[in-house]
Amino acid sequence: MNVDPRVQASLLELAAVDTELTQIAHRRKTLPEQAEVEKLEAERIARKDAAVTVQIAMDDLDRDIRKLEGEVDAVRQREERDKKLLASGTVAAKQMSELQHELGSLERRQGILEEELLEVMERREASETDYNHAGAQLTQIDEELIDAGRRRDDAVADVDTAEKRAGGRRSELAVTFPEDLLAIYEKQRALSGRGAALLQARRCGACRIELDRGEISRIASAPADLLVRCSECNAILVRTKESGI
């Protein structure tokens, strides 16, 4: 295929724009700002789960506290009833002895229950401290997420702008080439990622392989308007003064 050398040279600009678009697409997929947002979102979920775990523990402790308070209250009521019976003077000696023994048992039971209650209340207080700390961490990470999201959005906007600019320039360039030449270029670009490249110092700018002497001799002897391809990657080779031939 024969193509004006100046048109062939214009392929280098098209190839440069396509390379830029590829880089832009890669950047969109690998934005560090997006990675930071995802990292913070995962951390927020972990902290939220931790806060829920603490909340569940607090609920369990609250039930334990209510249960122990009920048991302490029941012991106190039983103790007051026995003391009233003793104070009434209406009980027999045997029942009095039994009541006194029961009062001793109730006093010990109350002491045990109150110690258990105190321990559970201390654990509840510690859990509440943990819960408040978890809440503060969630608030902090929410603020960090807002900032990270703003940075991500700004980065995406920059990528959109760059992509729009490069895409517009590509559209302008594409219509300047003959359809059959553009079809060859596009097919090669779809296969290897590079449709055309500069032959520079006997090296293909697409695959970066230095061509052997025989291939260079073939290309050097070809007419300037003949479309030549790299023998290694098949990209269109654009010849200029930098080609070394």
Side-chain angles (χ1 to χ4, degrees), residues 95-183:
Q95 186 181 6
M96 181 179 297
S97 176
E98 291 175 351
L99 287 173
Q100 289 174 338
H101 178 73
E102 184 176 271
L103 281 170
S105 297
L106 290 172
E107 184 177 353
R108 289 190 296 273
R109 177 60 178 163
Q110 182 176 335
I112 293 172
L113 289 172
E114 288 177 343
E115 286 182 3
E116 290 181 3
L117 179 59
L118 179 60
E119 179 185 349
V120 174
M121 291 178 71
E122 289 175 347
R123 288 164 54 195
R124 173 61 170 76
E125 183 178 355
S127 293
E128 185 172 4
T129 299
D130 291 340
Y131 183 76
N132 292 336
H133 179 64
Q137 286 187 319
L138 277 174
T139 299
Q140 178 185 355
I141 204 167
D142 282 340
E143 294 173 352
E144 292 176 0
L145 262 173
I146 291 173
D147 290 340
R150 187 180 298 113
R151 291 193 298 273
R152 186 270 316 278
D153 293 343
D154 290 343
V156 169
D158 289 343
V159 170
D160 289 342
T161 299
E163 187 175 56
K164 183 178 180 180
R165 176 187 54 76
R169 180 54 182 158
R170 189 186 198 283
S171 297
E172 293 173 358
L173 286 169
V175 297
T176 66
F177 296 101
E179 291 185 4
D180 51 354
L181 174 61
L182 188 61

